[in-house]
Amino acid sequence: MPFIVLSSSRGTTFQAVIDAMKSGTLHDSCLGLIADSRGRGCVEKAEAAGIPALIVEKQDAQFDNRLVTAIESLHPTPDTVIALMGWMHILPRSLLERLPYRIINVHPSLLPKFGGRGMYGTRVHEAVINAGETQSGMTIHAVTEAIDGGEIILQQSCEVALSDTPESLQKKVQALEQQWYPIVLERLRTQSSQKK
């Protein structure tokens, strides 16, 4: 099952996916990476792995059209998955309707807690700590027009220690993302092959 990665990040989870492909634990093929800036770490990681990297900057009202064009230029097949990894742009309904592929995202909390507009990065972890939560984690979910509201595919949790800062909690959650995102992609590949 091929997949395309959309990322606005340093690419730590993307690197874990690349490593899983190299080790053979993930049998999918990455058709390419789409980033919103050439300065993102994920671009460097894609190029080092020989994965095509396309840049679609959000600079005008044509962003959605250019994003669709970029995705289509990577020649996705009907069973292609669009995998968001630190993608910082909301995909509106109009765009989702034009992408007939399964789209998944990873969010750094145990949804539905601490999700929705404005909840990203260390903001999420700060909110978790301020709320006195003893558990946090990550959620991989289907992308719909409801922000962080799609079907939950997998959740994994970690302890929130009294000594945790937003930065230390972020490291715990990112470790879960790096461990489990490749596993979810492999499971989706297996499910897709079983349906054929």
Side-chain angles (χ1 to χ4, degrees), residues 4 33 75 127-128 139 146 171:
I4 294 169
L33 165 79
H75 308 293
V128 168
T139 304
K171 288 181 181 178

Side-chain angles (χ1 to χ4, degrees), residues 105-129 131 133 135-141 147-150 152-158 160 169-170 172-174 176-177:
N105 180 50
V106 61
H107 183 78
S109 75
L110 298 173
L111 293 175
K113 289 184 173 184
F114 308 103
R117 190 177 294 275
M119 295 301 287
Y120 58 87
T122 54
R123 290 184 180 186
V124 176
H125 308 301
E126 185 175 354
V128 168
I129 291 169
E133 297 285 328
Q135 294 283 311
S136 189
M138 66 96 205
T139 304
I140 297 175
H141 64 94
I147 301 171
D148 299 326
I152 292 174
I153 299 170
L154 178 129
Q155 287 186 318
Q156 291 293 323
S157 62
C158 61
V160 181
L169 182 55
Q170 183 178 46
K172 291 181 183 180
V173 172
Q174 285 179 338
L176 291 174
E177 294 174 3

Side-chain angles (χ1 to χ4, degrees), residues 4-8 34 56 58 63-68 71 81-85 87-99 101-105 117 141-149:
I4 294 169
V5 173
L6 272 58
S7 182
S8 309
I34 298 175
V56 180
K58 187 162 187 176
F63 177 71
D64 290 356
N65 291 334
R66 290 185 288 108
L67 184 57
V68 170
I71 290 171
V81 168
I82 309 295
L84 278 54
M85 300 180 194
W87 181 248
M88 299 303 295
H89 308 287
I90 294 168
L91 302 182
R93 176 195 282 185
S94 59
L95 180 58
L96 293 172
E97 289 174 346
R98 295 168 62 189
L99 296 174
Y101 314 107
R102 182 157 195 187
I103 306 174
I104 63 174
N105 180 50
R117 190 177 294 275
H141 64 94
V143 173
T144 66
E145 62 182 297
I147 301 171
D148 299 326

Side-chain angles (χ1 to χ4, degrees), residues 185-196:
L185 287 171
E186 179 65 17
R187 287 179 181 175
L188 292 175
R189 183 196 67 81
T190 302
Q191 292 169 7
S192 177
S193 64
Q194 288 173 346
K195 291 178 181 177
K196 292 179 180 178

